[in-house]
Amino acid sequence: MSERQIELEVLRYRPEMDDKPFFQTYSVPCQEEWVVLDALNYVKDEMDRTLSYRWSCHMFVCGSCGMAINGEPKLACKAFLRDYQTKIRIEPLSNFPIERDLVIVQDDFIEKLESVKPYIIPKQEKPIDQGEYLQTPAQLKAYKQYSMCINCLLCYSACPQYALEEKFIGPAALALAHRYNMDSRDVGRSAREHVVASHDGIWACSFVGACSQVCPKDVDPAGAIQQVKFTSAVDYLTSFLPGGKR
Amino acid sequence: MKVVNTDIVIIGAGGAGLRAAIAVAEADPTLNIALVSKVYPMRSHTCAAEGGAAGVVKESDSLDYHFNDTVSGGDWLTDQDAVELFVNEIPKELTQLEHWGCPWSREDTGKVAVRPFGGMKIMRTWYAADKTGFHMLHTLFQTSLKYSSIRRFDEFYTTDLMIDDGVCRGCTAIEMRSGEMTLFLGKTVIICSGGAGRIFPFTTNGAIKTGDGMAMAYRAGVPLKDMEFVQYHPTGLPGSGILLTEGCRGEGGLLVNKDGYRYLQDYDLGPPDPWPRLKAMELGPRDRLSQAFYHEQKKGRTIPSKWGDVVHLDMRHLGEKKINERLPLVRDLSRSYVGADPVTDLVPVRPVVHYMMGGIHTDINAATPMSGLYAAGECACVSINGANRLGSNSLGELLVFGARAGRHAVEYVKTVGTLEGDARIEKQAGDAESRIKSLFKRTGGKQRVAALRRDMNMTLEEGCGIYRDENSLIDTCTRIADVRARYRDVRLEDKSNVYNTDLYQTLELGAMIEVAQTVAISALQRKESRGAHQRLDFTARDDENYLKHTMAFYNPNGDPRIDYADVTITKSQPAARVYGGAAA
Ligand SMILES: Cc1cc2nc3c(=O)[nH]c(=O)nc-3n(C[C@H](O)[C@H](O)[C@H](O)COP(=O)(O)OP(=O)(O)OC[C@H]3O[C@@H](n4cnc5c(N)ncnc54)[C@H](O)[C@@H]3O)c2cc1C
Ligand code: SF4
């Protein structure tokens, strides 16, 4: 197997001992088929036990290892070394406070995810012994794409609006709200509306689309937000019609 | 030390832990739940499960069929009362998950679709494309947000169980962001900490699957059951060990050797029909398929690759449309990691460590022998898996037994009333904290975590793999005892408090060594071949002496003490396991 020497420039920050973040360079002997995560694991095992980062599944599905690689938000387990030159710069995801090294604080996202009521709100509870709700493949398709989000936060890191305004609910949480709104088993749209269609919800999005570009799961949060804007606008206008909610 | 007073502590927020938490919240909303996990719930390894979850729903199927497949698949080491209960409850659990929003794949009629899986006589595996575990986990996590009694403690690393007078009352855990030790004090604990595949070097298991909960219960005196039964999945990607789901073969994928020959027909699994025949060939059970690879390799009929010997998984005839619809992740992973597109190329695969059949000894209510302590999911051994788990039974297991653990813990809490001894527990928690502090203070430790882990990994692989014998196992046991002794002199290099992964990897290694030792010693003592435990020196199944569960008891200073317990047999007497055409 062929080997390649890679220079990893890794952002380090340990709040108890470092005044401010700095870069540390590791020269790592890498196998050609490795991903950036493998190189980091090599550093951790063989060179520097003090480097911290999150990871688990190594198969693009747990969403733990989001980081900025050469400035781009990526999953470290999906960033193949073959696509990079010999020098690679690795930083924590931007737009989040650094907890330590490549580990970011994600409380804000978790709160936002919780705020959109991401669960089925049924019209009426159906007893289990009556079996499943029928849902045709077409009905499944209506929301399936938006259910693929692994909460990796790459989209928040890429989002210019979130960078400016921390209150913005943001791409993944809005896409998740849309996922439930579009589910044929759910009638919870109005219960989610006060968050989703608020000042900090869909209307804050300036539709740059960076979120959809970086998403490793093709969730297309930007598309979801556009769709929600459309339906909310229709709702709003309908509410002025005779018999409307207003 | 921070103290969190609660009623029920759940360690682990994967599929089993979340299901248990919801069961508690539904059974009694007045009880406080502390859901403690070393990773955010959606990072738990349940997310990696691809293929599906088995449950009887179709008219052509019956509970008896699922029962029989599971019992014979487990080579009669399953407890049949547990299996019976499991096959009865799983369809309800899967339906419940449907009501909670799980995006199961559907038939045109809108009913849930099922796919064939290895060792199953009828198609009964519910699936959500090839991301079943991911969707189940996110559905459970998101649904859990409805219940205000579930209080999450994400990124808290549990270190010890707190036991007063033989009764489990809580645990200590380190808040990873601050390094602060926290005592979770309640009336009962449910361990849902997942498997331990990381004790092996080549595994489908994520970094977090280090057997922490198994080791915690074991050190507290609860036996680990049937640990010698380690499942190799026949189709892992070479190099990385990433799994290609059995769904590939369920959809019609074929296994061929270097001559393009479907070699499974040489191992009592034929005939080689062109269509997927259930319980035959590629849809045989995992133990038999992984063993067949070993023999092909011995015969020189595997294919050498830069990652070692492989065979080929051929999915080309399925066509791009079907592959994209049913196996999109498989396509993504194969292309990215081995540069093979299943639509046009043969994909190299080899057996890979996947699942621990063994675990914390529990009964059908998920109760361990210790009062106040429950366990469910992959960390537990009920046992519905026996000597070999059938694919798609463990996602079901974590639902059925996660829910039962929750409900029975609620019943238990009702009976205990007020408990005394909090002061004694606080003292115990202090001791646990001191042990961690002493790791920080230790100077001059000579042993490196990565080196010890590698030694443990390699010795298990070499001596305790798909085939084992007396010599290889004795060697493994000796080497693990050596690793265990060296671990006492392990060196912590990072002394900071904030998100110190050097510390957590060190603690995880400690857990893995204990678990690894039970695997090797249990394997050495079982002088027969059954399911996933194959001995070259004892090649036959020996019901007379070994139709028994192995129980490994902790011994701080030496090898675990091994004892045996009876297997519960209700309606299926041990018989030959038959696959291939003869199974029809
Ligand atoms: C790649 C792959 C594919 C699979 N596919 C299938 C399939 O198709 N069908 C099927 O039936 N089965 C499948 N399995 C098996 C199945 O997915 C697992 O057995 C099951 O998901 C385990 O769930 P769990 O809840 O027990 O554990 P996990 O989901 O692993 O969760 C464990 C939890 O415990 C926590 N934890 C662990 N240690 C500590 C600690 N010290 N302190 C605090 N928290 C801790 C973790 O944070 C985590 O939340 C597959 C397994 C793998 C690896
Ligand atoms: S929408 Fe995409 S980028 Fe954003 S968190 Fe989800 S998976 Fe990650």
Side-chain angles (χ1 to χ4, degrees):
Chain A
M1 262 184 267
S2 59
E3 232 180 64
R4 191 152 74 105
Q5 205 68 23
I6 299 267
E7 303 273 301
L8 292 185
E9 285 180 355
V10 185
L11 189 118
R12 299 298 312 273
Y13 176 62
R14 282 173 291 166
E16 295 156 291
M17 31 202 114
D18 305 324
D19 298 336
K20 56 177 197 294
F22 63 97
F23 281 97
Q24 185 164 354
T25 304
Y26 302 96
S27 181
V28 188
C30 295
Q31 303 294 330
E32 55 173 322
E33 75 268 15
W34 277 9
V35 291
V36 166
L37 177 59
D38 297 317
L40 287 172
N41 285 342
Y42 185 92
V43 173
K44 178 91 184 161
D45 283 350
E46 310 299 335
M47 305 169 81
D48 186 353
R49 294 289 308 160
T50 70
L51 178 66
S52 275
Y53 49 95
R54 293 187 176 104
W55 74 286
S56 177
C57 77
H58 204 294
M59 55 185 281
F60 341 141
V61 70
C62 77
S64 307
C65 67
M67 44 191 84
I69 302 179
N70 283 350
E72 251 186 292
K74 291 264 184 200
L75 296 178
C77 70
K78 214 183 178 182
F80 286 84
L81 294 179
R82 58 178 179 252
D83 300 329
Y84 292 88
Q85 311 280 320
T86 29
K87 237 191 206 200
I88 306 177
R89 179 172 272 232
I90 303 177
E91 297 157 280
L93 286 178
S94 50
N95 297 345
F96 294 95
I98 305 177
E99 191 162 309
R100 147 150 198 193
D101 296 341
L102 301 172
V103 177
I104 52 152
V105 179
Q106 39 191 287
D107 300 355
D108 183 52
F109 167 71
I110 299 289
E111 274 166 34
K112 284 170 178 163
L113 179 129
E114 293 175 357
S115 77
V116 301
K117 299 194 165 65
Y119 36 78
I120 294 280
I121 301 177
K123 195 161 177 183
Q124 205 181 356
E125 294 282 351
K126 173 172 168 172
I128 295 298
D129 56 17
Q130 286 179 19
E132 77 262 53
Y133 291 91
L134 295 183
Q135 183 167 69
T136 62
Q139 288 172 320
L140 172 64
K141 197 160 177 263
Y143 72 89
K144 184 73 197 264
Q145 179 175 23
Y146 310 116
S147 72
M148 303 299 249
C149 170
I150 60 173
N151 302 348
C152 66
L153 307 188
L154 301 194
C155 53
Y156 283 76
S157 178
C159 174
Q161 186 59 28
Y162 187 60
L164 288 175
E165 179 44 82
E166 207 194 304
K167 287 206 186 116
F168 178 40
I169 305 288
L174 287 171
L176 188 61
H178 188 54
R179 171 249 176 276
Y180 281 99
N181 287 346
M182 296 299 287
D183 192 315
S184 56
R185 296 165 288 192
D186 181 89
V187 295
R189 189 154 74 89
S190 55
R192 292 179 196 105
E193 199 72 350
H194 73 281
V195 177
V196 172
S198 70
H199 173 68
D200 299 318
I202 45 172
W203 303 112
C205 167
S206 49
F207 201 63
V208 175
C211 52
S212 294
Q213 269 166 26
V214 298
C215 176
K217 291 285 156 183
D218 297 325
V219 173
D220 191 15
I225 293 173
Q226 278 308 95
Q227 285 185 30
V228 182
K229 276 187 182 172
F230 181 75
T231 41
S232 291
V234 171
D235 276 1
Y236 180 71
L237 294 174
T238 323
S239 69
F240 289 103
L241 295 177
K245 278 179 286 187
R246 260 176 193 256
Chain B
M1 188 181 317
K2 213 191 286 178
V3 181
V4 174
N5 285 298
T6 184
D7 294 305
I8 297 183
V9 184
I10 301 176
I11 303 171
L18 288 164
R19 185 65 192 89
I22 296 173
V24 173
E26 295 211 314
D28 186 348
T30 65
L31 291 179
N32 293 312
I33 304 160
L35 182 57
V36 182
S37 174
K38 66 178 176 179
V39 294
Y40 281 91
M42 59 281 192
R43 319 291 184 215
S44 303
H45 208 58
T46 297
C47 72
E50 301 171 16
V56 172
V57 272
K58 299 294 164 191
E59 262 148 35
S60 55
D61 203 356
S62 84
L63 296 174
D64 275 343
Y65 288 157
H66 192 186
F67 173 91
N68 289 333
D69 287 345
T70 303
V71 171
S72 63
D75 219 349
W76 277 273
L77 197 68
T78 49
D79 282 321
Q80 296 180 11
D81 53 344
V83 177
E84 185 157 358
L85 191 149
F86 166 71
V87 300
N88 277 326
E89 290 191 7
I90 187 57
K92 287 172 232 153
E93 281 293 328
L94 294 174
T95 306
Q96 174 67 76
L97 222 62
E98 194 280 331
H99 289 199
W100 284 335
C102 189
W104 297 115
S105 293
R106 304 282 177 154
E107 295 172 353
D108 290 340
T109 57
K111 285 187 163 300
V112 291
V114 289
R115 65 165 36 135
F117 240 63
M120 301 275 189
K121 180 187 166 89
I122 307 262
M123 289 206 276
R124 64 168 72 95
T125 297
W126 300 39
Y127 62 100
D130 58 357
K131 300 187 177 90
T132 310
F134 162 78
H135 284 300
M136 282 177 52
L137 182 68
H138 282 250
T139 302
L140 286 167
F141 169 56
Q142 289 159 13
T143 301
S144 78
L145 301 174
K146 285 199 298 199
Y147 303 92
S148 57
S149 59
I150 303 176
R151 192 164 158 215
R152 286 202 329 275
F153 295 85
D154 298 333
E155 300 198 328
F156 277 68
Y157 185 96
T158 308
T159 63
D160 294 88
L161 296 176
M162 295 292 112
I163 294 147
D164 186 50
D165 201 15
V167 179
C168 188
R169 292 283 313 277
C171 67
T172 46
I174 309 170
E175 183 182 34
M176 293 167 72
R177 125 180 357 190
S178 65
E180 191 179 352
M181 191 60 120
T182 307
L183 167 61
F184 290 89
L185 186 56
K187 294 180 173 149
T188 171
V189 173
I190 308 174
I191 305 183
C192 300
S193 57
R198 283 267 150 186
I199 59 177
F200 283 83
F202 186 61
T203 174
T204 60
N205 286 195
I208 60 173
K209 298 196 70 169
T210 49
D212 307 0
M214 292 180 183
M216 258 180 273
Y218 174 63
R219 284 194 303 254
V222 178
L224 297 184
K225 181 160 80 185
D226 293 339
M227 294 301 286
E228 63 273 40
F229 297 96
V230 176
Q231 177 163 80
Y232 278 76
H233 192 293
T235 60
L237 288 179
S240 60
I242 289 171
L243 178 80
L244 297 190
T245 169
E246 199 159 283
C248 299
R249 286 168 282 131
E251 298 298 342
L254 305 174
L255 282 171
V256 295
N257 67 13
K258 78 173 180 7
D259 307 315
Y261 174 69
R262 290 174 68 194
Y263 59 91
L264 294 173
Q265 60 191 286
D266 295 356
Y267 304 94
D268 291 335
L269 290 159
D273 301 309
W275 67 88
R277 180 199 281 267
L278 297 167
K279 283 183 97 162
M281 293 297 289
E282 285 81 3
L283 292 177
R286 290 178 180 172
D287 54 341
R288 300 282 287 275
L289 265 61
S290 294
Q291 289 150 22
F293 174 91
Y294 171 95
H295 294 293
E296 284 296 291
Q297 191 177 28
K298 286 268 168 281
K299 291 178 193 161
R301 301 203 297 193
T302 48
I303 303 129
S305 82
K306 60 179 171 183
W307 308 282
D309 291 341
V310 298
V311 287
H312 282 145
L313 180 59
D314 188 353
M315 291 173 269
R316 295 172 299 180
H317 53 289
L318 304 182
E320 184 163 8
K321 182 165 176 290
K322 191 165 182 180
I323 289 177
N324 284 346
E325 186 185 302
R326 307 271 176 94
L327 304 165
L329 181 65
V330 165
R331 189 174 186 197
D332 193 8
L333 291 166
S334 312
R335 284 208 289 205
S336 303
Y337 273 100
V338 292
D341 183 344
V343 173
T344 49
D345 307 314
L346 296 167
V347 181
V349 292
R350 56 168 302 146
V352 55
V353 168
H354 185 55
Y355 183 86
M356 306 293 292
M357 265 71 76
I360 302 167
H361 173 44
T362 66
D363 66 15
I364 56 173
N365 298 329
T368 73
M370 177 180 287
S371 300
L373 185 63
Y374 294 79
E378 192 172 340
C379 69
C381 181
V382 180
S383 152
I384 66 154
N385 299 310
N388 172 62
R389 169 179 77 99
L390 290 189
S392 76
N393 265 352
S394 68
L395 287 176
E397 174 175 4
L398 61 83
L399 294 173
V400 169
F401 292 98
R404 286 183 82 80
R407 290 186 206 117
H408 284 273
V410 170
E411 291 304 310
Y412 170 82
V413 167
K414 283 191 194 140
T415 63
V416 291
T418 27
L419 288 161
E420 293 177 359
D422 289 8
R424 288 191 296 270
I425 290 183
E426 277 168 33
K427 154 117 195 0
Q428 240 182 73
D431 294 345
E433 186 176 29
S434 307
R435 278 195 294 279
I436 303 293
K437 287 217 169 109
S438 71
L439 263 178
F440 277 83
K441 286 193 207 119
R442 184 185 295 167
T443 48
K446 284 187 193 62
Q447 299 293 333
R448 303 198 61 238
V449 169
L452 284 174
R453 191 173 52 211
R454 197 171 312 119
D455 286 355
M456 171 196 66
N457 282 163
M458 292 328 287
T459 177
L460 272 188
E461 167 110 328
E462 283 159 23
C464 203
I466 299 178
Y467 281 92
R468 304 130 180 217
D469 67 19
E470 182 94 7
N471 289 337
S472 75
L473 286 167
I474 288 177
D475 186 49
T476 296
C477 293
T478 318
R479 284 161 65 190
I480 289 182
D482 173 59
V483 169
R484 191 171 181 233
R486 281 156 59 205
Y487 179 75
R488 302 209 166 128
D489 192 26
V490 74
R491 177 167 87 211
L492 193 66
E493 292 174 31
D494 184 346
K495 306 275 162 120
S496 57
N497 291 306
V498 179
Y499 216 94
N500 181 342
T501 48
D502 188 24
L503 171 66
Y504 303 114
Q505 288 191 358
T506 303
L507 297 175
E508 287 172 341
L509 175 64
M512 285 194 286
I513 294 170
E514 298 297 351
V515 171
Q517 195 175 34
T518 65
V519 172
I521 299 273
S522 303
L524 176 64
Q525 308 259 332
R526 182 176 285 274
K527 296 181 171 43
E528 65 155 355
S529 288
R530 183 188 297 272
H533 172 71
Q534 292 291 314
R535 297 268 308 234
L536 294 164
D537 45 355
F538 298 95
T539 53
R541 192 174 86 191
D542 176 1
D543 287 338
E544 198 154 323
N545 294 304
Y546 289 104
L547 184 55
K548 290 202 171 352
H549 296 297
T550 309
M551 298 284 179
F553 290 86
Y554 181 63
N555 167 6
N557 300 312
D559 289 349
R561 176 172 69 80
I562 299 294
D563 204 347
Y564 292 91
D566 288 340
V567 174
T568 307
I569 292 180
T570 56
K571 54 188 185 188
S572 170
Q573 289 306 314
R577 282 172 81 200
V578 183
Y579 293 99

